[in-house]
Amino acid sequence: MNKRVHQIAAASSAVVLASGIFAGFASIPANAASKKVTIKLWADNNAYKSVVKQFEKNNPNISVKFQKVGSVDTTKYLQKDSTTAGDVAMLPHDQLGALVSQGLVLRVSPTYSKQVKRIDVPGAVKGATYKGKMFGYPYGVETQVLYYNKSKLSASDVKTWSGITKKGKLAVNFGEAGANYVWTPLFFTNGDVLFGKNGENAKGTNFGNTKGTQVLKWIQAQKNNPGVVQDNAGALQDLSSGKVDAFLSGPWSKIDAQKALKNNYAVAKYPTISIGGKNKQLQAFLGVKLFIVNKSTKHPAQAAKLASYLTSNAVQKKIFNSIGYVPSAKAVQNSAAVKKDALSKAVTQMSKGATPMPKIPEINNFWTPMDAIFNDTWKGKISQSQMLSKLQAFDKQIAKSNSK
């Protein structure tokens, strides 16, 4: 008998549930529904303290113990000792595959799965799903956006790459570590896929084709574009000094971008680019913010109820108004408040065409060789005649390193 079954058996000797336990789902035992239980919640912002008070009021037999823990720390704590971790915790979706593979996350029940699919945008649903099964409750989305100096560039200018780079200076990172995260979506923009169409096939990458070489040729061409500046750690300082007029980053850079640009701060979705003889919308990776239920929880049904509540329309709206997390809920994204906020509007626009970061554990083997290709292309170490063979070798390399 596995650990999960032992927990359920301990909760009710008869193991008779109100609506049954099957395939990793749980509901509250009929003879335990009146017992008060405590659920430990891990979240990264104190704004959730006030949110859970209403949940406790609505559910007098569930007490929530809030602990401030960063979402990026959830994985290491679960892997270290899941029995001491939060019952409900925040998690970036790209870490979901590893935790599910290790048996650390409780699957979302059919009822709550239907709710997620009804409430959230398709990209968020995809981010919460692994190998066809849902394991996360989405509460937000993130993508890269374009921050720019509106005294130098107009809203019309920033719609196209050429509009930006002919009139101003765009800070980009092609030549240093980290180029992989920003520029891998160039391949998606041009029709290629990473780890297959669903991001879960370790041997499904197809960068080694004509479309892939067009991506590298496009990067190579930017070396001779006077409006493109190789810039990484110094981008914000250069934005402040006026050395550059725009740069690409995510919502996490909002405050720093506002400080750098002051009254000239503006933000927009990515521009279109001309690649392979066609104008295409430049894509970005989609990050989905999730709550997950720890499989080691002693109160799985109550924990699932809390996770569902925390990702509801009402709570997503409240959290957006409080701390600005861009919601994953369709109704909240379409609200006047979100549409009025420039950053949130840009993120929601980008999220509609963005590719969720692959969540399979093998993604960790991808980053270093991808950086090498981007960096070497920018530095002129890969000639056009070598591009196809380099990408084909890359496809084989990550397929081999990811094979079990």
Side-chain angles (χ1 to χ4, degrees):
M1 185 179 291
N2 63 33
K3 184 176 182 180
R4 180 77 191 93
V5 175
H6 277 300
Q7 291 172 338
I8 296 169
S12 174
S13 59
V15 200
V16 177
L17 306 186
S19 59
I21 296 176
F22 59 96
F25 312 130
S27 56
I28 302 174
N31 65 346
S34 61
K35 295 181 180 179
K36 188 159 188 174
V37 302
T38 298
I39 300 297
K40 188 191 302 183
L41 169 64
W42 281 4
D44 63 6
N45 196 286
N46 288 329
Y48 284 93
K49 281 186 177 180
S50 61
V51 168
V52 298
K53 288 181 181 179
Q54 185 60 48
F55 176 81
E56 290 176 318
K57 184 177 180 180
N58 297 342
N59 300 274
N61 291 325
I62 304 177
S63 174
V64 180
K65 181 180 179 181
F66 174 87
Q67 293 181 336
K68 189 176 180 180
V69 178
S71 61
V72 296
D73 296 320
T74 295
T75 294
K76 69 179 181 181
Y77 289 131
L78 279 173
Q79 291 173 333
K80 183 178 181 180
D81 185 0
S82 62
T83 63
T84 63
D87 298 290
V88 177
M90 287 180 165
L91 184 79
H93 89 273
D94 59 289
Q95 298 180 25
L96 189 62
L99 294 182
V100 170
S101 298
Q102 294 165 26
L104 297 172
V105 180
L106 189 66
R107 184 178 169 188
V108 179
S109 73
T111 297
Y112 290 139
S113 292
K114 290 179 181 178
Q115 177 176 300
V116 168
K117 291 176 182 177
R118 184 179 69 253
I119 288 177
D120 294 292
V121 295
V125 175
K126 186 175 181 180
T129 305
Y130 183 61
K131 292 187 176 180
K133 300 174 182 178
M134 190 174 292
F135 289 92
Y137 302 76
Y139 69 91
V141 293
E142 288 184 332
T143 68
Q144 295 259 118
V145 293
L146 176 77
Y147 292 101
Y148 69 97
N149 185 331
K150 66 181 181 182
S151 72
K152 300 288 187 66
L153 298 167
S154 69
S156 179
D157 292 331
V158 301
K159 289 181 179 180
T160 65
W161 186 272
S162 61
I164 298 169
T165 58
K166 285 181 179 179
K167 194 172 179 179
K169 302 286 187 181
L170 174 61
V172 299
N173 174 29
F174 289 119
E176 299 177 25
N180 46 24
Y181 175 73
V182 181
W183 298 112
T184 294
L186 268 172
F187 290 100
F188 312 150
T189 300
N190 209 30
D192 282 343
V193 296
L194 173 63
F195 297 136
K197 290 183 179 180
N198 66 353
E200 296 182 7
N201 178 3
K203 297 182 179 180
T205 304
N206 69 340
F207 293 178
N209 56 23
T210 300
K211 293 178 180 178
T213 61
Q214 288 172 347
V215 168
L216 298 191
K217 288 176 182 178
W218 185 88
I219 292 174
Q220 188 182 66
Q222 301 315 305
K223 186 82 172 181
N224 299 317
N225 186 338
V228 172
V229 178
Q230 167 61 35
D231 208 346
N232 193 10
L236 281 164
Q237 182 178 341
D238 292 339
L239 194 67
S240 179
S241 69
K243 182 179 178 180
V244 299
D245 307 305
F247 84 117
L248 308 172
S249 190
W252 49 87
S253 293
K254 176 183 178 180
I255 294 176
D256 289 332
Q258 288 176 325
K259 289 180 180 178
L261 292 169
K262 299 181 174 58
N263 292 334
N264 293 319
Y265 165 86
V267 61
K269 70 175 185 177
Y270 271 10
T272 59
I273 64 171
S274 178
I275 186 168
K278 296 181 180 179
N279 291 322
K280 299 180 180 180
Q281 174 61 54
L282 183 58
Q283 294 187 29
F285 272 126
L286 174 67
V288 182
K289 296 181 175 184
L290 303 174
F291 277 104
I292 54 94
V293 175
N294 181 349
K295 202 168 184 179
S296 292
T297 181
K298 295 179 180 179
H299 309 291
Q302 293 91 337
K305 190 172 187 179
L306 174 60
S308 178
Y309 170 80
L310 291 172
T311 54
S312 64
N313 280 330
V315 173
Q316 287 196 41
K317 181 178 181 180
K318 185 172 183 178
I319 291 298
F320 170 76
N321 290 333
S322 176
I323 55 178
Y325 286 174
V326 181
S328 57
K330 290 177 282 191
V332 188
Q333 283 192 2
N334 289 324
S335 67
V338 172
K339 289 183 176 181
K340 185 171 65 175
D341 181 78
L343 175 59
S344 299
K345 181 180 179 181
V347 170
T348 55
Q349 289 175 332
M350 286 293 295
S351 69
K352 293 176 182 178
T355 297
M357 178 83 71
K359 66 184 80 68
I360 59 175
E362 294 85 353
I363 185 67
N364 292 323
N365 300 319
F366 158 82
W367 299 110
T368 298
M370 188 78 268
D371 244 352
I373 286 181
F374 285 134
N375 296 168
D376 289 348
T377 299
W378 177 257
K379 295 173 183 177
K381 295 181 179 180
I382 300 177
S383 66
Q384 290 193 6
S385 63
Q386 295 174 315
M387 289 176 178
L388 181 59
S389 61
K390 288 284 186 180
L391 288 172
Q392 290 174 338
F394 169 82
D395 290 347
K396 292 178 180 178
Q397 178 185 0
I398 63 170
K400 183 177 181 180
S401 64
N402 291 339
S403 62
K404 298 294 184 180

